[in-house]
Structures are given as C-alpha cells and as structure tokens.
Amino acid sequence: KAAIDRTLGKADDIVTNARQFNTTTENLLKLRSLGNVRGITNENLDMLLTKFQGSVAQAAANPQDPANSAVRNYVGQKDTAVAFYNFITQLQKMDKNQQVLVQQQVFGEKQVLKMAELLQDVGFKESADSLKKVDFAKAAVAAEKLGALNDKMTANRTVNDLNDLSGKAAVINSGTSITKNQATIKA
C-alpha cells in the first residue's frame, strides 16, 4: 500500500508541477531525469525552474531593465521546461565568469555543487545521452494516468473520512467521553 501511494503521489506531483511550469508532463520528466542523472533532486530542479520562471516574468514586465537581459530571449516562450533547457545550453556556451554572472542574475545567487554542474556543462552531454533509451512519451502517459487515479483516491479518502467522522459523531456523545475518562482513571 505504501509503495502504491508513493507511486501515485510521485505521478501526481509530476503532472501537477508540469501544469505549474506550463509544460508537458513529458518535457518535465525529461528535464527532471536529466537533473536526476546529474544528482539533482526534483525539489532542487523545481527551485531552479521557479527562479527561472520568475526571472522570465520579470523580463516580460520590465523588458528594458538590464537586470533581465539574461532571460529576455525566453519571454513569450510557452513551455518553461523547453525554455529552461535552451537557457542551460546557451549558458554552457559562455565562459565561466559570464556563467557565474548570469547565474547570479537569474537565480539570485551562485549555484553550488550539483546544480552548478548542471548549469556549467559538467557531464551534460553524457547525461542526456544516457537517457536516450527512455520512452518519455510512454512514461508521461503513465504519469498522467496514475496522477488522475491519485486524484480519485484522494477524493474517495476525503469522502470516507467525512463519512467516518459523521458516523462516529452519531455514537460518540458526552456519555462516551465520561465513560472513557472513568476507565482511564481506574487503570
């Protein structure tokens, strides 16, 4: 049961976050997998995506602000995961000093450890190559199916919990509470 709940929760998380990042489940799976291969947790990748998305929104709101220059080219792109991937590949073509400046501009700080490796092309091509055998379209369909199932199970649990509460309220009264307290005192 715990493994099923974990799997359903993971699938629902992917589908929900794909919507949040205005991308497809398949594209988010690809990006997360690339990050995972590099040792980046989904949470850390989501943090990078959120900061990137915020920077792009700032650039859309203030196109002339030089602080937004690093992501100005990504304004108007519909898919955040694709835009982020393209941003990373462009970032990796810069010299190291420029990379650090752009990272600070977009993410607010210099990224460290595994996140810096992803952003600075340390094994990026090898990581992407290792994922070529994955059928991401099939995985996305499975995630969407399991995410929808998780939503139904959550709704059913909620209904069951409310019915359970109502049923117990019908039999638990002040007498039940007094009896329980007396039993506790005697013990």
Side-chain angles (χ1 to χ4, degrees):
K1 181 180 179 332
I4 290 170
D5 287 345
R6 242 186 342 269
T7 300
L8 291 173
K10 183 189 281 187
D12 190 53
D13 177 55
I14 292 166
V15 173
T16 299
N17 286 344
R19 278 188 234 121
Q20 173 192 348
F21 295 124
N22 197 35
T23 189
T24 65
T25 303
E26 183 176 348
N27 286 343
L28 185 58
L29 279 170
K30 287 177 183 178
L31 196 57
R32 279 186 170 183
S33 297
L34 183 59
N36 291 161
V37 169
R38 299 300 311 140
I40 297 172
T41 65
N42 292 338
E43 293 79 17
N44 284 339
L45 185 69
D46 289 352
M47 180 197 62
L48 290 173
L49 276 168
T50 299
K51 287 184 177 187
F52 175 77
Q53 196 174 38
S55 292
V56 171
Q58 284 291 331
N62 303 306
Q64 302 309 318
D65 186 348
N68 301 322
S69 63
V71 295
R72 197 173 294 136
N73 293 339
Y74 304 99
V75 171
Q77 288 193 9
K78 301 286 185 219
D79 190 314
T80 302
V82 171
F84 182 76
Y85 179 84
N86 292 337
F87 170 76
I88 291 172
T89 56
Q90 291 305 309
L91 183 67
Q92 292 171 351
K93 294 175 184 176
M94 297 176 187
D95 68 63
K96 296 299 177 194
N97 290 329
Q98 189 65 28
Q99 284 179 351
V100 170
L101 291 173
V102 169
Q103 284 178 49
Q104 288 174 334
Q105 182 184 22
V106 174
F107 302 111
E109 65 230 17
K110 180 180 177 188
Q111 297 304 304
V112 294
L113 303 174
K114 294 295 182 186
M115 288 190 287
E117 287 180 8
L118 175 71
L119 297 174
Q120 296 173 357
D121 193 28
V122 178
F124 187 79
K125 172 110 172 72
E126 294 80 12
S127 297
D129 288 345
S130 70
L131 296 170
K132 285 184 177 175
K133 296 176 185 168
V134 176
D135 185 346
F136 284 102
K138 184 177 178 181
V141 168
E144 289 168 4
K145 176 184 171 188
L146 293 174
L149 184 59
N150 186 65
D151 289 345
K152 286 180 184 176
M153 286 182 60
T154 301
N156 288 340
R157 272 191 215 114
T158 301
V159 169
N160 290 340
D161 288 347
L162 291 171
N163 287 334
D164 183 55
L165 181 67
S166 296
K168 287 178 180 171
V171 294
I172 298 173
N173 55 38
S174 61
T176 308
S177 179
I178 291 169
T179 305
K180 183 180 181 290
N181 285 338
Q182 287 174 347
T184 304
I185 293 171
K186 289 180 183 176

